[in-house]
Amino acid sequence: MFTSLSRQSESLIKRIATNCASGKGFGSFSPSIYDTAWLSMIEHPDDKVNRWLFPECFEFILRHQSEDGSWESYASHVDGILNTAAALLSLKKHLAVCPDHPCHQDWTLRSIKAQGALGKLLRHWDVSSSDQVGFEILVMKHLSLLENEGIGIQFPQRHALRVLYDAKLMRLPPDSILRTRSTLYHSLESLIGHIDFDQVSRWQEEDGSMLGSPSSTAAYLIHANLWNTRAETYLRSVLGSGTGHGNGGVPCAWPTSIFETAWVVTTLASVGIVIHEPEASTICHFLESALQKGNGIVGFSSTVIADVDDTAKTALALHYFNKSVNIHPLIQTFETADHFSTYSGERNPSFSANCNVLICLLSQNNLSPYMTQIMKTTKFLCSRVFSGNVHEKWHIHDLYWMMLFSQALSLLHDRVRDGALRKEAFDPVLRDQIPLVSMRILMRIIYLQKNDGSWDGICEITAYALLTMSWLFRLPWCQRIFFKETIPRIHLGKAFLYSNRNLWARGHYLWIEKTTYASNTLAEAYCLAAAFVSFDVPTQSKCLHAFMPRLLSPTLRAMSKAKELLRRVPLFSGVGSQILDAAEFQTYYELSSLHQRRLEIFPRTGMGKDRYLTLIPFTWMACNALQGGSMHQSVLREMIFLSMINYQVDEYMEIVIEDKFKGDLNTIKEVIHNLCSDTNQSFPNRNGVHNNVEIDSVHSSDSELLGEIKVILRNYVAHILQHPGVLSRPLRERANLASELRTFLLAHVTHAEDNHRLFNRHPKSSESKSIAGGAVHCVNESALPLQYTNPCRTFYSWVRSTSADHTSCPFSWKFFHCLIAETCGSVYATAASSYVAEDMIRHLASLCRMYNDYGSISRDIDEGNLNSINFPEFHLDLRDMESIGNKEATMENVKDKLMSIAEYERRGLNIAIAELEAQLGKGKLFDAVKLFVNVTDLYGQIYVEKDIATRKQ
């Protein structure tokens, strides 16, 4: 039988307290093949018979080699490469030093298999996708060391890796490394041949290690000319006291006493688990002594370089014990211009470390001295989440940073509610971002839960998710929309934990060091906290207004109508109410932003009411909510704005350009060609100054209007082609986008010419007649729509070219792809995926055009616009005028034909989507593709239900 939660938590705390009182280092990190391999390469300084200082480490390596010759890839490709490279290096060293060993033949066969396995790992490695700290110099150095042993491995991305390696070393001149104690001493093996190892002993830690790293300490012992007994003693203590417990394996870092103590205490205490005496006093004394020794800052153990993460967690742990801690040393040491650095010289900031800093700051009794730091850190974190630019360097799973970030937001809200923080302290951008990003995280977590109640089938990760929801449900907007519907999911998650309670103390490879590692202690702490945390019915907060935009009643009514419209379309039929409720909530904020930018490019003079304005953000938010918030807010906001200006350019082309230049559309074509011809042209600010586009004197009466048109279209083109997300892409992609944009704008001109040819040459009052030139044929106007006849054009050729391009779908897709490529990857990485993606978009655009035409027949007839049903293919079996009934029946017949063809396009679209999924696999990139498809398809479905376009005045 399992003990109670309280007894299990007491047992865990008792173990921590006992270790704290022992005066010895401790830690629970899992054994590391990589670090163990380095210990196995240390030769004994005196014993020439046994030769190796730690033969048990080599035996450990041999026991853990896989059948294919590799060593385990714990959680990343880099893990497998480093483990296999280090173990192979050890094999080669043993073969060279012990040629007469009885196992020489076995070692030789093992090394051959290992070499093949390493080559395979390297050939399938995408260097650009790796972000583990220091991977570029670690991998490159091991390849160099293997070359010294006669093993040279070529692989496709070796040059890319070499570029990263050389760039890293350029920033690390040897004299600067030796001059001061730094985090580089944690990875000395990467600097073999780059520094003099005889000069690094002065930076050795008190315990004899090189910054708490077994592999770095081993490399020092191997490459220093003088033997260091303190380093040997440290390594022997790691072997005996680490998680290997004498079986030959060593962890990637040891000891980790402060790290594990602070993490366990804060995790348990944050959910209300009380730590009783005498353990509380023991742990307090241990942490206070460490802070005192480090002058207010600490690292993962008492002897290593201090970092902001361990310092913040230690201060927070002492806060839970009602101990006062001076956090000014933390601020003075680690604060930068816009965030907190983990340690001195850090290249990329840690997201989770800044979460822990913010939680620590918000936990202070008096927030007044820290307002600048609180706002700075909150802005940094929210902006990263909003833009999808979260690169967590210490943990591989998104749910870990989501848990910490949600805890910080919950605490932030609590401090607003209790009056410690004033809502005026938050700028408008931050007030919008906090609800948006928190709502998206909650949607993401709910979406990712599996049918068995777990997340990824792992207790530790499931615990992260449950704790994240517990924090988010303290936010009133999350409570209101999701709480009741999510309670069954929470119970299911907890049930998964309880049914797998025997696995709580079995950590998974989730934490990042040189290679990833697991911690049984941390896993148990998180599972205990998640099982213990309460999900009581929350009380409604009075400070909801602090983060809510003020919307006028007409806007709220329009949003309600938009939500009801979406409920009626196929994409959202049967979808839970919370999906559209969440989308509606997010639309509040996006609509406020959109209203501010409504006149940024196009004027509204002479335009009708823009009924689409409320619907645009709703469609993007609803489709994203349908996929569990898979896309981050910044891309959504950019696409919402693009959708709006695409509607506006359509209105502008129809109402201004088509009307004023219907006799001289070639002039507009020339303007468009000039604007989109050079992707590198420099556009000025939108101040009315002309650049690259000179005003031509076409007609004296039109010069001023033409100049205005050029400025407006230039601003539109500039927004797209000069967007930072576009400028960051390769020239080929930018040129392709410019070409698609030009095609889109020219399609409007061509469509205007088609409209003119179809209607303007034919009096609306006329009856059955043929029009000279064969351009237009109208039969029985009371029953049939006009016919568009052009021997060079069929409905198929029109709907797949001009008409599809006119929808904006093809060029908008290229713009969208530029925005997502950095965070999601590129669809155009292979010939096959590129081809299928283009086919998919063409099906999608054609489908959208036919749906649009289906819903806008009445408006197109009234305004004189060419519609799909004007093509003669829709009239082929209606020539017998006697068989034609009333107008309504005839029109329904034609519309049915159009819908039938549209559904044929849908079948083609579905085939292309399935093929693209097979090419890309499931993940962020395909989720992004589906989002774009769904939004575009949704607009078509909306048009079938209701025409939302602005009518000409």
Side-chain angles (χ1 to χ4, degrees):
M1 292 292 292
F2 290 112
T3 60
S4 67
L5 289 178
S6 59
R7 286 190 177 182
Q8 188 174 352
S9 62
E10 287 170 5
S11 175
L12 176 58
I13 286 295
K14 193 179 292 290
R15 294 200 307 270
I16 294 288
T18 300
N19 285 328
C20 289
S22 68
K24 299 177 182 178
F26 59 92
S28 70
F29 288 12
S30 55
S32 160
I33 292 292
Y34 174 83
D35 288 82
T36 304
W38 272 97
L39 265 70
S40 74
M41 289 185 275
I42 305 173
E43 294 184 55
H44 202 291
D46 301 316
D47 190 343
K48 300 303 179 184
V49 178
N50 295 319
R51 302 302 297 265
W52 304 104
L53 189 64
F54 301 118
E56 63 268 45
C57 291
F58 189 60
E59 290 299 321
F60 183 91
I61 294 300
L62 296 180
R63 287 198 306 272
H64 287 82
Q65 187 176 18
S66 302
E67 275 297 315
D68 66 356
S70 70
W71 278 263
E72 187 177 359
S73 295
Y74 303 131
S76 75
H77 211 78
V78 171
D79 290 345
I81 290 171
L82 285 176
N83 284 341
T84 303
L88 174 58
L89 186 61
S90 178
L91 275 169
K92 296 300 290 184
K93 292 286 187 184
H94 279 73
L95 285 168
V97 172
C98 305
D100 300 322
H101 195 281
C103 295
H104 193 275
Q105 185 176 2
D106 177 56
W107 295 350
T108 300
L109 292 174
R110 286 174 176 272
S111 69
I112 292 171
K113 290 181 70 175
Q115 182 176 340
L118 180 59
K120 185 177 180 180
L121 284 166
L122 290 167
R123 285 192 296 274
H124 290 87
W125 183 29
D126 178 10
V127 173
S128 65
S129 68
S130 300
D131 58 2
Q132 284 176 230
V133 178
F135 80 90
E136 63 274 67
I137 56 174
L138 287 170
V139 174
M140 200 70 217
K141 177 50 63 179
H142 281 77
L143 293 178
S144 175
L145 293 172
L146 285 171
E147 285 178 349
N148 294 341
E149 300 296 328
I151 297 177
I153 301 176
Q154 297 301 318
F155 55 99
Q157 297 206 22
R158 182 168 184 134
H159 175 71
L161 179 65
R162 184 80 206 193
V163 170
L164 293 174
Y165 173 79
D166 290 341
K168 183 93 170 189
L169 282 192
M170 282 184 65
R171 297 194 298 270
L172 303 173
D175 58 335
S176 69
I177 297 172
L178 298 170
R179 191 184 309 128
T180 184
R181 183 172 178 243
S182 75
T183 54
L184 290 170
Y185 283 77
H186 193 68
S187 304
L188 285 176
E189 69 272 25
S190 67
L191 300 173
I192 295 169
H194 189 66
I195 62 169
D196 181 358
F197 275 73
D198 290 330
Q199 297 187 49
V200 302
S201 60
R202 56 182 166 159
W203 302 119
Q204 196 173 8
E205 305 298 337
E206 289 179 20
D207 61 5
S209 74
M210 286 298 173
L211 211 62
S213 168
S215 54
S216 184
T217 308
Y220 165 66
L221 265 183
I222 294 169
H223 291 278
N225 287 315
L226 295 177
W227 188 256
N228 189 297
T229 54
R230 289 174 56 225
E232 179 185 351
T233 301
Y234 164 76
L235 292 176
R236 290 194 182 280
S237 67
V238 178
L239 267 169
S241 304
T243 47
H245 299 297
N247 72 349
V250 297
C252 56
W254 194 89
T256 51
S257 317
I258 294 174
F259 168 75
E260 295 190 30
T261 301
W263 255 252
V264 169
V265 169
T266 54
T267 299
L268 298 181
S270 68
V271 297
I273 294 176
V274 178
I275 299 175
H276 300 286
E277 295 293 350
E279 289 78 20
S281 294
T282 301
I283 294 172
C284 272
H285 176 71
F286 174 76
L287 295 177
E288 285 180 316
S289 297
L291 274 178
Q292 185 177 6
K293 181 180 179 180
N295 296 317
I297 54 177
V298 294
F300 61 79
S301 75
S302 60
T303 61
V304 301
I305 290 176
D307 64 80
V308 78
D309 222 2
D310 288 289
T311 302
K313 281 285 196 181
T314 298
L316 185 61
L318 290 169
H319 170 79
Y320 284 127
F321 289 124
N322 294 316
K323 297 291 183 179
S324 178
V325 177
N326 178 13
I327 63 171
H328 284 97
L330 179 153
I331 295 170
Q332 292 166 2
T333 307
F334 302 110
E335 185 178 14
T336 70
D338 65 350
H339 67 278
F340 282 81
S341 62
T342 310
Y343 46 76
S344 176
E346 182 182 39
R347 184 160 56 97
N348 297 314
S350 163
F351 188 88
S352 64
N354 277 273
C355 287
N356 286 325
V357 169
L358 182 56
I359 293 167
C360 176
L361 291 169
L362 291 168
S363 299
Q364 303 306 302
N365 294 327
N366 180 14
L367 301 188
S368 298
Y370 313 114
M371 290 301 296
T372 299
Q373 290 77 22
I374 288 171
M375 287 300 120
K376 172 191 298 186
T377 313
T378 304
K379 287 178 183 178
F380 169 79
L381 294 171
C382 288
S383 65
R384 287 295 176 108
V385 179
F386 188 87
S387 64
N389 189 28
V390 179
H391 299 291
E392 175 47 42
K393 62 202 298 183
W394 307 123
H395 202 284
I396 67 168
H397 207 286
D398 286 347
L399 281 176
Y400 176 71
W401 69 255
M402 288 181 180
M403 173 184 64
L404 294 175
F405 180 60
S406 299
Q407 183 180 359
L409 291 185
S410 173
L411 191 54
L412 188 78
H413 172 264
D414 288 347
R415 302 315 304 265
V416 172
R417 184 178 57 189
D418 65 25
L421 280 175
R422 294 179 299 106
K423 65 178 183 180
E424 290 78 15
F426 299 87
D427 63 41
V429 172
L430 199 54
R431 283 202 299 269
D432 281 2
Q433 287 183 347
I434 288 171
L436 284 170
V437 297
S438 56
M439 182 66 75
R440 178 183 169 244
I441 288 174
L442 181 55
M443 289 192 299
R444 196 79 199 126
I445 288 173
I446 294 171
Y447 183 81
L448 293 174
Q449 187 178 20
K450 296 187 176 297
N451 291 334
D452 64 0
S454 77
W455 281 261
D456 291 357
I458 296 172
C459 289
E460 186 175 351
I461 294 174
T462 300
Y464 298 160
L466 289 170
L467 290 169
T468 304
M469 287 197 287
S470 76
W471 297 119
L472 290 176
F473 280 133
R474 292 166 65 172
L475 303 176
W477 47 91
C478 293
Q479 294 170 12
R480 181 168 59 84
I481 295 174
F482 280 107
F483 186 74
K484 288 183 180 178
E485 291 79 2
T486 309
I487 283 297
R489 291 177 172 271
I490 293 167
H491 291 325
L492 194 60
K494 285 205 170 191
F496 174 84
L497 280 185
Y498 278 108
S499 65
N500 292 277
R501 194 169 175 182
N502 60 314
L503 302 178
W504 288 8
R506 184 181 298 177
H508 284 258
Y509 289 94
L510 300 170
W511 302 80
I512 300 174
E513 239 272 351
K514 297 172 192 176
T515 57
T516 53
Y517 65 92
S519 169
N520 293 341
T521 298
L522 297 183
E524 185 177 10
Y526 282 114
C527 289
L528 277 166
F532 185 88
V533 71
S534 156
F535 285 90
D536 295 331
V537 178
T539 56
Q540 289 298 315
S541 170
K542 295 181 180 179
C543 63
L544 177 61
H545 65 279
F547 297 103
M548 283 289 289
R550 294 181 178 178
L551 297 177
L552 299 176
S553 295
T555 302
L556 293 173
R557 286 195 297 271
M559 290 180 63
S560 179
K561 289 180 180 178
K563 184 164 67 171
E564 290 308 310
L565 176 60
L566 291 192
R567 289 188 199 279
R568 300 200 300 268
V569 302
L571 188 61
F572 287 95
S573 63
V575 170
S577 61
Q578 70 272 18
I579 297 296
L580 289 178
D581 289 344
E584 180 182 30
F585 174 79
Q586 291 177 305
T587 300
Y588 291 153
Y589 300 90
E590 293 303 332
L591 192 57
S592 175
S593 171
L594 201 60
H595 273 295
Q596 294 173 21
R597 303 181 67 185
R598 180 168 168 261
L599 302 178
E600 191 170 302
I601 294 177
F602 290 97
R604 297 296 304 165
T605 307
M607 306 291 179
K609 182 176 175 57
D610 42 6
R611 294 185 295 165
Y612 51 77
L613 201 62
T614 304
L615 198 58
I616 286 173
F618 215 141
T619 55
W620 281 97
M621 290 302 166
C623 289
N624 196 47
L626 196 62
Q627 295 180 200
S630 59
M631 184 54 63
H632 50 83
Q633 299 293 142
S634 64
V635 167
L636 295 174
R637 181 162 290 182
E638 291 300 329
M639 292 307 296
I640 286 168
F641 183 71
L642 180 73
S643 299
M644 181 187 72
I645 61 176
N646 283 351
Y647 266 104
Q648 290 179 338
V649 75
D650 185 71
E651 293 172 334
Y652 192 76
M653 296 292 279
E654 284 187 5
I655 296 172
V656 177
I657 293 177
E658 183 177 345
D659 182 56
K660 303 298 182 183
F661 282 83
K662 53 191 172 186
D664 191 17
L665 288 172
N666 285 332
T667 299
I668 303 302
K669 289 181 180 179
E670 184 179 351
V671 170
I672 292 169
H673 276 289
N674 289 338
L675 285 172
C676 301
S677 61
D678 184 5
T679 57
N680 293 314
Q681 65 177 303
S682 175
F683 289 92
N685 292 328
R686 294 166 186 153
N687 54 13
V689 178
H690 298 281
N691 181 46
N692 295 323
V693 182
E694 297 179 0
I695 297 179
D696 302 313
S697 298
V698 181
H699 304 292
S700 58
S701 61
D702 288 338
S703 295
E704 185 176 348
L705 175 60
L706 182 60
E708 178 185 315
I709 290 171
K710 289 178 178 179
V711 170
I712 291 171
L713 290 182
R714 180 205 61 195
N715 290 341
Y716 173 73
V717 171
H719 171 79
I720 295 162
L721 299 186
Q722 300 295 312
H723 190 284
V726 173
L727 294 177
S728 66
R729 302 305 299 156
L731 177 60
R732 179 174 172 273
E733 282 191 45
R734 303 201 309 270
N736 194 249
L737 171 61
S739 175
E740 290 284 7
L741 178 58
R742 178 174 60 247
T743 301
F744 164 67
L745 292 173
L746 290 174
H748 277 79
V749 178
T750 303
H751 196 63
E753 292 173 334
D754 289 336
N755 294 341
H756 180 74
R757 184 178 297 115
L758 178 63
F759 285 95
N760 290 9
R761 295 181 185 178
H762 176 66
K764 289 188 177 181
S765 60
S766 66
E767 298 181 4
S768 301
K769 60 171 70 176
S770 295
I771 304 298
V776 177
H777 181 63
C778 177
V779 179
N780 191 6
E781 190 177 41
S782 64
L784 286 175
L786 297 174
Q787 280 194 49
Y788 172 93
T789 57
N790 184 333
C792 299
R793 251 171 147 184
T794 64
F795 172 63
Y796 176 86
S797 64
W798 176 78
V799 83
R800 281 296 185 94
S801 57
T802 302
S803 183
D805 294 324
H806 185 273
T807 66
S808 83
C809 172
F811 108 78
S812 296
W813 158 252
K814 292 298 174 67
F815 181 78
F816 176 74
H817 185 267
C818 288
L819 300 187
I820 66 166
E822 183 176 349
T823 56
C824 300
S826 175
V827 169
Y828 298 99
T830 68
S833 62
S834 299
Y835 186 90
V836 175
E838 293 294 295
D839 183 53
M840 178 192 73
I841 291 302
R842 194 50 54 175
H843 281 298
L844 181 62
S846 301
L847 173 66
C848 188
R849 164 51 60 196
M850 285 186 257
Y851 272 15
N852 185 308
D853 281 3
Y854 183 95
S856 62
I857 290 173
S858 176
R859 176 171 54 87
D860 287 340
I861 291 174
D862 289 346
E863 296 181 357
N865 298 323
L866 177 62
N867 188 288
S868 295
I869 66 168
N870 295 123
F871 278 82
E873 288 91 330
F874 293 94
H875 302 253
L876 293 177
D877 56 353
L878 298 177
R879 290 174 179 170
D880 184 0
M881 303 309 299
E882 298 297 326
S883 65
I884 298 175
N886 59 45
K887 181 177 180 179
E888 289 74 16
T890 302
M891 190 62 71
E892 287 302 316
N893 184 291
V894 173
K895 289 174 68 176
D896 287 345
K897 293 176 185 177
L898 179 59
M899 183 58 69
S900 176
I901 298 172
E903 291 309 310
Y904 173 82
E905 282 292 344
R906 179 174 295 284
R907 292 193 291 275
L909 172 65
N910 291 338
I911 291 171
I913 292 172
E915 180 60 32
L916 193 59
E917 182 179 15
Q919 294 281 341
L920 303 178
K922 294 185 182 298
K924 289 183 179 179
L925 182 54
F926 186 71
D927 283 346
V929 171
K930 280 290 292 179
L931 174 65
F932 184 87
V933 170
N934 281 343
V935 172
T936 307
D937 187 18
L938 176 58
Y939 278 105
Q941 293 180 27
I942 289 171
Y943 270 105
V944 171
E945 187 70 31
K946 179 181 180 181
D947 185 5
I948 59 172
T950 302
R951 284 180 173 263
K952 294 180 183 178
Q953 298 297 296

